[in-house]
């Protein structure tokens, strides 16, 4: 199962607030340079360039991205492999930067777990992840690395809701926890998020808990609509709100697939947050036996 990015001491105690998210579907040159520096400190430029070629032109038939402007090169960067990597890195599309980061992490993690000598080699994968997350948060980039995957980062309230849901569900009801994670991954798809998938997965998280509590199995209408009126779960006024959530998921949320209906991202993110909070509540009120 996945591990959410944990807040630092200053974040947990309110001494540091995340900056407003400014960069989501863009990554200007001046914002890329520190990412380039982190990657270059982590791995040799020739290795990084090799990974970019594997990612962006695996069959050797497409031109590699190339920055057309002037690039500044320090004395220590005056090397063909460094210059080539920097020009390619600055010239690729914004989402390709994130593909590269994920790939480098995966390569380093495999090396450290399968090949490295822990007595002589310092770990690099998770220190790189921490450096990336610190930088993203510092400049207001709306993404974060979670166990090697780059997923969308919401505001502090959204992140707290996701973290609390994961803490409550990861051991007692891992299937529901996995559904919430799948919803986050759907929101995180690049370059276009899968908002309908996010809504569907988020609703499924609640249904997993209902099914587990009631003993209703797949194929026996284990859907949210069949549990809304159950007095064990929601008081009268609250069930109306849950019913509205179900209605949105089936209609505007396109849970059942409707041509031309694509949920708005903000709406889908709201549904994911609400479903995560409901899942946390249901799990707390109906602990696993």
């Amino acid at each position: 199962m996945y591990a959410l990015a944990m807040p630092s001491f200053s974040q947990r105690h309110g001494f540091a607030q995340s900056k407003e998210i400014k960069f989501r579907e863009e990554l200007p040159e001046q914002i890329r340079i520190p990412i380039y520096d982190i990657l270059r400190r982590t791995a040799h430029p020739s290795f990084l360039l090799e990974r970019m070629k594997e990612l962006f032109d695996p069959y050797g038939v497409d031109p590699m991205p190339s920055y057309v402007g002037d690039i500044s090169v320090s004395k220590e960067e005056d090397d063909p492999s460094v210059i080539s990597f920097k020009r390619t890195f600055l010239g690729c599309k914004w989402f390709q930067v994130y593909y590269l980061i994920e790939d480098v992490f995966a390569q380093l993690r495999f090396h450290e777990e399968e090949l490295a000598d822990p007595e002589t080699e310092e770990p690099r994968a998770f220190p790189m992840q921490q450096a990336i997350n610190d930088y993203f948060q510092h400049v207001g980039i709306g993404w974060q690395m979670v166990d090697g995957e780059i997923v969308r980062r919401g505001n502090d309230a959204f992140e707290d809701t996701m973290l609390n849901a994961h803490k409550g569900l990861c051991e007692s009801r891992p299937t529901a926890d996995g559904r919430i994670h799948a919803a986050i991954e759907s929101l995180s798809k690049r370059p276009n998020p899968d908002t309908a998938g996010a809504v569907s997965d988020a609703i499924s998280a609640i249904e997993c808990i209902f099914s587990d509590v009631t003993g209703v199995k797949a194929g026996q209408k284990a859907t949210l609509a069949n549990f809304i009126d159950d007095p064990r779960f929601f008081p009268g006024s609250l069930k109306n709100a849950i019913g509205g959530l179900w209605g949105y998921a089936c209609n505007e949320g396109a849970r059942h697939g409707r041509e031309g209906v694509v949920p708005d991202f903000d709406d889908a993110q709201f549904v994911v947050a609400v479903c995560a909070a409901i899942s946390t509540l249901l799990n707390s009120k109906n602990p696993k036996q």
Side-chain angles (χ1 to χ4, degrees), residues 165-195:
H166 173 61
K167 286 180 177 178
L169 296 170
C170 63
E171 294 185 1
S172 60
R173 291 185 167 103
T175 302
D177 185 41
R179 294 293 188 184
I180 292 175
H181 179 54
I184 297 173
E185 287 187 323
S186 292
L187 291 177
S188 303
K189 286 189 175 179
R190 303 178 297 269
N192 300 311
D194 177 11
T195 53

Side-chain angles (χ1 to χ4, degrees), residues 28-85:
E29 177 187 346
Q30 70 273 20
I31 302 300
R32 292 190 190 201
I33 293 299
I35 303 174
Y36 158 82
D37 290 334
I38 292 171
L39 290 171
R40 192 165 163 268
R41 290 197 304 267
T42 302
H44 194 276
S46 60
F47 166 78
L48 296 170
L49 188 60
E50 176 185 318
R51 296 313 307 164
M52 294 184 89
K53 290 179 179 178
E54 182 66 27
L55 289 170
F56 306 153
D57 185 25
Y59 302 106
V61 297
D62 297 316
M64 287 291 288
S66 181
Y67 184 68
V68 296
D70 295 329
I71 59 172
S72 59
V73 179
S74 64
K75 184 176 181 180
E76 63 177 7
E77 293 177 317
D78 191 11
D79 176 90
S81 63
V82 178
I83 296 173
S84 182
F85 167 62

Side-chain angles (χ1 to χ4, degrees), residues 22-278:
K22 299 178 181 178
F23 306 100
R24 186 88 76 180
E25 281 80 32
E26 61 173 334
L27 205 55
E29 177 187 346
Q30 70 273 20
I31 302 300
R32 292 190 190 201
I33 293 299
I35 303 174
Y36 158 82
D37 290 334
I38 292 171
L39 290 171
R40 192 165 163 268
R41 290 197 304 267
T42 302
H44 194 276
S46 60
F47 166 78
L48 296 170
L49 188 60
E50 176 185 318
R51 296 313 307 164
M52 294 184 89
K53 290 179 179 178
E54 182 66 27
L55 289 170
F56 306 153
D57 185 25
Y59 302 106
V61 297
D62 297 316
M64 287 291 288
S66 181
Y67 184 68
V68 296
D70 295 329
I71 59 172
S72 59
V73 179
S74 64
K75 184 176 181 180
E76 63 177 7
E77 293 177 317
D78 191 11
D79 176 90
S81 63
V82 178
I83 296 173
S84 182
F85 167 62
K86 190 171 188 178
R87 187 171 294 280
T88 304
F89 182 80
L90 292 178
C92 67
K93 297 177 180 178
W94 66 267
F95 53 87
Q96 291 177 315
V97 171
Y98 301 128
Y99 293 157
L100 175 64
I101 294 171
E102 289 178 332
D103 180 80
V104 171
F105 178 95
Q107 298 294 325
L108 294 175
R109 190 177 192 178
F110 175 81
H111 176 80
E112 291 165 10
E113 292 179 350
E114 303 295 334
L115 304 173
D117 180 357
E119 298 295 327
T120 59
E121 293 187 52
E122 293 289 332
R124 290 178 289 168
F126 281 97
M128 183 192 78
Q129 174 172 276
Q130 186 62 56
I132 289 290
N133 281 336
D134 289 345
Y135 174 66
F136 283 7
Q137 190 171 61
H138 180 75
V139 297
I141 292 177
W143 301 88
Q144 61 182 335
M145 284 198 80
V146 178
D147 200 23
E149 296 180 7
I150 292 185
V151 298
R152 290 179 86 102
R153 178 169 67 87
N155 57 31
D156 289 344
F158 179 82
E159 295 303 319
D160 288 344
T161 300
M162 296 301 106
L163 183 60
N164 288 334
H166 173 61
K167 286 180 177 178
L169 296 170
C170 63
E171 294 185 1
S172 60
R173 291 185 167 103
T175 302
D177 185 41
R179 294 293 188 184
I180 292 175
H181 179 54
I184 297 173
E185 287 187 323
S186 292
L187 291 177
S188 303
K189 286 189 175 179
R190 303 178 297 269
N192 300 311
D194 177 11
T195 53
V199 169
S200 179
D201 285 322
I203 293 290
S204 292
I206 301 176
E207 292 173 342
C208 283
I209 299 175
F210 279 138
S211 179
D212 188 50
V213 172
T214 63
V216 176
K217 303 301 181 183
Q220 295 179 287
K221 296 185 178 180
T223 63
L224 181 56
N226 297 101
F227 299 116
I228 290 173
D229 292 325
D230 192 320
R232 291 175 294 173
F233 299 121
F234 304 118
S237 57
L238 185 56
K239 76 176 183 180
N240 294 332
I242 305 302
L245 187 70
W246 171 253
Y248 172 84
C250 290
N251 297 299
E252 291 88 347
R255 185 171 191 244
H256 296 151
R258 293 177 59 196
E259 182 62 35
V261 177
V262 179
D264 177 79
F265 177 83
D266 290 336
D267 292 344
Q269 182 173 260
F270 173 76
V271 171
V272 171
V274 172
C275 288
I278 293 173

